[in-house]
Amino acid sequence: MDNLWIAALDAADRKRIEPHLTEKPFSQGQMLYDAGESVDEVWFPMSGVVSLMTLVDEDRMIETAAIGREGLVGVTCGPLNARAASRAIAQVDGVSACCPADVFADALSHSEGMRTALSKFTESLFAQVQQVAACNAQHRLDERLARWLLTIHDRSDADRFALTQLDIAGMLGVRRATVSEVGSALEEKGLIRRGRGWVEVLDRKALEGASCGCYALMRGVMKDLGVPRPKAAAH
């Protein structure tokens, strides 16, 4: 199982949900569910990245969390709360194992181990949401961009991933021209390379140095909770 959350369960708990899983690809820009909608599936990404988006107004959203193969999507609004609080959008193409929400809820009711694993993941997710909110409010855009690229790099299968400046601007809640300017500065330092519709991480260590402390704090929470941590292909 390529999803780390499921892989970390014991054999008995995996058997509770694995027979019910269906494999579904998702593509960049695809909306898995929208805020306010009923969610009838829990998604376990095996590759790719899904962003949780909070609506700022009718025309703008901002990313509050990113989830890859280390976790699950829909659980904060799935079996325990029927309606989504945020919009889930695929950020990087991938494939997910999907489980009906009622099946997952039944498995949770019969397994303390699964409930504990879920509690740890949701606590780490909540910590990510809080840290991102603080980061967006307090830190320079170059630091935020470095932090965000590291988060995506962790959850990607390669050093290069498909992202446009417009995509990044939308995730960070800033203007496209501003992202272009700050991205150029990171590129001039040799940290990243950009092309039409893609970004490549060239110097992972230096990019970590350019990031604010929020990235390390979020990774530290995952480590302390014993939550599976995604690792970038070259890291």
Side-chain angles (χ1 to χ4, degrees), residues 24-35 37-45 49-52 67 72-74 84 86-91 96 98:
K24 293 185 179 181
F26 54 82
S27 56
Q28 186 182 43
Q30 178 182 339
M31 184 167 63
L32 278 57
Y33 54 77
D34 202 359
E37 288 185 350
S38 296
V39 178
D40 56 7
E41 285 186 308
V42 179
W43 297 64
F44 299 89
V49 185
V50 177
S51 294
L52 299 186
I67 301 170
L72 50 160
V73 180
S86 59
R87 180 178 295 178
I89 295 181
Q91 190 60 239
S96 178
C98 296

Side-chain angles (χ1 to χ4, degrees), residues 70 124 155 218-230:
E70 81 285 357
S124 72
R155 293 160 175 81
M218 289 187 288
R219 294 280 297 191
V221 168
M222 297 180 76
K223 181 180 179 180
D224 291 343
L225 289 170
V227 174
R229 286 175 293 163

Side-chain angles (χ1 to χ4, degrees), residues 136-206:
N136 288 340
Q138 295 296 326
H139 292 145
R140 299 192 315 266
L141 182 57
D142 60 325
E143 296 175 323
R144 292 167 53 200
L145 177 57
R147 182 264 301 166
W148 186 78
L149 289 173
L150 288 166
T151 300
I152 299 300
H153 189 226
D154 278 346
R155 293 160 175 81
S156 299
D157 295 325
D159 292 332
R160 178 185 294 195
F161 29 88
L163 286 172
T164 67
Q165 290 182 161
L166 188 59
D167 294 330
I168 299 172
M171 295 300 104
L172 297 177
V174 297
R175 294 169 55 246
R176 178 179 176 180
T178 306
V179 169
S180 177
E181 180 180 345
V182 175
S184 294
L186 294 181
E187 193 167 22
E188 288 173 4
K189 294 177 182 178
L191 278 59
I192 64 172
R193 180 166 54 194
R194 300 176 299 165
R196 188 175 181 84
W198 57 266
V199 177
E200 183 178 3
V201 174
L202 296 179
D203 191 334
R204 165 89 190 193
K205 186 174 181 179

Side-chain angles (χ1 to χ4, degrees), residues 43-108:
W43 297 64
F44 299 89
M46 297 185 289
S47 62
V49 185
V50 177
S51 294
L52 299 186
M53 309 294 297
T54 296
L55 304 180
V56 179
D57 51 42
E58 292 184 359
D59 300 319
R60 291 191 305 134
M61 300 179 296
I62 190 167
E63 185 193 73
T64 53
I67 301 170
R69 60 192 295 261
E70 81 285 357
L72 50 160
V73 180
V75 67
T76 54
C77 52
L80 306 180
N81 179 8
R83 295 195 177 275
S86 59
R87 180 178 295 178
I89 295 181
Q91 190 60 239
V92 176
D93 293 354
V95 178
S96 178
C98 296
C99 179
D102 57 348
V103 171
F104 187 63
D106 183 66
L108 287 174

